[in-house]
Amino acid sequence: IEVHLIPGEELIGKIEQKTLNKRRNIMSCEYYKKALKLIKENEKLLVKSKGAELEVIQLAEKKLGVKFPEVYKQFLKDFGTLTFEALQIYGIVNNELNDEKGVPDGIWYTLDERLRYNFPNELLIIADFGIGELYCLDLSSNNEYGKVIAYIPGYDDNEQIREVIADNFGEFLYKQIEEEIEFEKQYE
């Protein structure tokens, strides 16, 4: 079957996609800003960590063979990793990449899972809440804003559901911070 495009239809499709991508980026940034505001308002729950420099972030991308979404890069610059009361979001620890680390080093954890369990190359582990699922940024080429999905280790990739937890990293971070604050309020 041949598909004939109306002149300019392909261009219009590309423009619409760029507009949609711009909107997604704005939403991710807005959620990230809201998460930062909550963190600042509840700073007593934050365990300070050292942010990562751009060169280290770029080296991490190169080691993994992926591109991080802009909001996740900003998170890495701002925090490196995040420990907020019981919540832990993985990233780069102490502005360095080291093959001998452990969690919360998300780069090490992802590379280790790739070596040991044939973990998908397009996923980056950003959290493990100890319930069997790994929370991952989906960095596949058609997902430039990094949807956060649940991935269950031990199952073949074709058996994975890859449930979408959040449309982007900013949304994921905001929801997790919000939940942690609500949980802590119950015990004040």
Side-chain angles (χ1 to χ4, degrees), residues 5-69:
L5 295 176
I6 300 169
E9 189 174 319
E10 186 175 334
L11 178 62
I12 290 169
K14 287 180 182 178
I15 291 170
E16 287 173 347
Q17 187 61 45
K18 281 186 177 184
T19 302
L20 181 60
N21 287 344
K22 191 179 281 190
R23 237 181 276 142
R24 286 182 180 147
N25 189 39
I26 290 168
M27 289 305 297
S28 187
C29 289
E30 290 303 313
Y31 274 116
Y32 187 70
K33 287 177 189 174
K34 288 167 71 173
L36 290 177
K37 185 176 186 279
L38 286 177
I39 291 168
K40 187 172 179 136
E41 291 169 355
N42 297 274
E43 202 165 359
K44 67 184 183 294
L45 302 177
L46 177 67
V47 175
K48 300 271 189 215
S49 59
K50 183 177 181 179
E53 294 174 11
L54 183 58
E55 297 78 31
V56 177
I57 294 168
Q58 290 169 335
L59 182 58
E61 288 177 315
K62 188 175 180 180
K63 278 183 111 171
L64 292 166
V66 297
K67 284 286 188 201
F68 298 149

Side-chain angles (χ1 to χ4, degrees), residues 58-94:
Q58 290 169 335
L59 182 58
E61 288 177 315
K62 188 175 180 180
K63 278 183 111 171
L64 292 166
V66 297
K67 284 286 188 201
F68 298 149
E70 290 303 316
V71 171
Y72 187 67
K73 285 183 192 178
Q74 189 60 52
F75 165 81
L76 294 173
K77 289 176 193 174
D78 292 342
F79 299 100
T81 66
L82 178 77
T83 302
F84 189 79
E85 195 60 21
L87 173 67
Q88 201 168 45
I89 306 293
Y90 303 159
I92 296 173
V93 178
N94 294 325

